[in-house]
Amino acid sequence: MIKAIVTGHSAGLGAALTAELLGRRIPVLGLSRRTLTLPAEAGAEALQQHVLDLSDPGALITWLSGTALARFVADASHALLINNAGMVQPVGPCGAQDAAQIAAAVQLNLGAPLLLANAFVAATTHCAERRILHVSSGAARNAYAGWGIYCATKAGLDLHAQATRLDGRPGLRIASLAPGVIDTAMQAQVRASDPADFPLQARFAALKADGQLSTPSEVARRLVEYLLGHAFGHAPTGDLRTLPEG
């Protein structure tokens, strides 16, 4: 049996990933600050949800010290972890960023995925195969003014995937993938940014105006196809838009 853990599962890409996995009859453990309401025909009975603020390291460490993760994967032969939750704030130049937002972003974008990956690998030693997908960003490989924290944390995911692959843990595949620009609430925040804080604001606004944003469901389908396919993990980093499906 395949089982999956998805962070930030209650909205945007996370909700689409959850729906895609459930549609393939893959049970999901969702971790988010809010719950996701699904109709029974969408496989809601196969969704376990834990309300958890992943930007709070103490709350996550406390949750990981419990048994919920181990119990969920106990009967899995194959296990998946999708580190999807993230935030783009704070947006602005170094020296003008809110300290609390910096701490929250570093924890949510980078600290939580690393903590979860470590716990996931430890809890799935009985599985024939386990796979970790970090949802990264083009900002991990291209620096943008005003996005210093977002760029740095996403780059950290890429390097974590590269280093973990070198660990050579049995049955473990990992990749950090940029999914492209998706029409989500995060993109709405980007478009609402002050151009003085984020000079590329107009570029992202134009993508929306020109209909160039991908839908969450479209990206979720491709991500899951790749995650389940034979090629996953052959390269530790990549861009979904340039990868073959399957």
Side-chain angles (χ1 to χ4, degrees), residues 174-185:
I174 186 169
S176 184
L177 299 179
V181 187
I182 312 169
D183 196 2
T184 62

Side-chain angles (χ1 to χ4, degrees), residues 136-158:
S136 184
S137 169
R141 298 139 209 175
N142 300 282
Y144 298 129
W147 274 12
I149 304 303
Y150 188 68
C151 290
T153 52
K154 291 298 185 180
L157 292 180
D158 283 9

Side-chain angles (χ1 to χ4, degrees), residues 8-233:
H9 76 290
S10 63
L13 178 59
L17 286 165
T18 298
E20 181 69 26
L21 290 162
L22 292 174
R24 296 169 182 257
R25 300 185 182 278
I26 297 175
V28 173
L29 173 64
L31 304 177
S32 183
R33 290 179 300 168
R34 292 174 291 274
T35 58
L36 174 65
T37 301
L38 290 172
E41 59 268 24
E45 73 285 349
L47 173 62
Q48 294 185 32
Q49 304 186 73
H50 290 262
V51 176
L52 186 61
D53 183 357
L54 296 170
S55 69
D56 180 346
L60 177 54
I61 290 170
T62 296
W63 186 82
L64 290 173
S65 70
T67 62
L69 176 59
R71 283 189 286 108
F72 178 73
V73 299
D75 60 347
S77 60
H78 295 70
L80 313 171
L81 169 62
I82 304 178
N83 283 311
N84 161 75
M87 61 188 290
V88 71
Q89 300 295 338
V91 175
C94 187
Q97 299 161 350
D98 180 78
Q101 284 191 338
I102 292 174
V106 170
Q107 169 58 24
L108 181 61
N109 295 354
L110 184 58
L114 270 55
L115 285 165
L116 285 163
N118 183 66
F120 171 80
V121 173
T124 55
T125 54
H126 65 284
C127 292
E129 189 166 277
R130 48 263 180 87
R131 300 186 176 192
I132 298 173
L133 169 61
H134 293 325
V135 177
S136 184
S137 169
R141 298 139 209 175
N142 300 282
Y144 298 129
W147 274 12
I149 304 303
Y150 188 68
C151 290
T153 52
K154 291 298 185 180
L157 292 180
D158 283 9
L159 284 171
H160 179 261
Q162 293 174 42
T164 300
R165 184 170 180 265
L166 294 175
D167 289 340
R169 297 304 301 269
L172 178 63
R173 298 192 189 193
I174 186 169
S176 184
L177 299 179
V181 187
I182 312 169
D183 196 2
T184 62
M186 181 182 288
Q187 278 301 309
Q189 290 179 12
V190 171
R191 294 191 300 273
S193 298
D194 186 335
D197 292 330
F198 182 53
L200 290 179
Q201 183 271 344
R203 171 184 162 189
F204 283 83
L207 290 173
K208 172 68 172 179
D210 296 341
Q212 297 299 307
L213 301 183
S214 300
T215 66
S217 58
E218 173 189 359
V219 174
R221 181 191 63 79
R222 287 213 63 199
L223 275 175
V224 172
E225 282 285 342
Y226 189 71
L227 175 59
L228 297 175
H230 70 278
F232 181 81

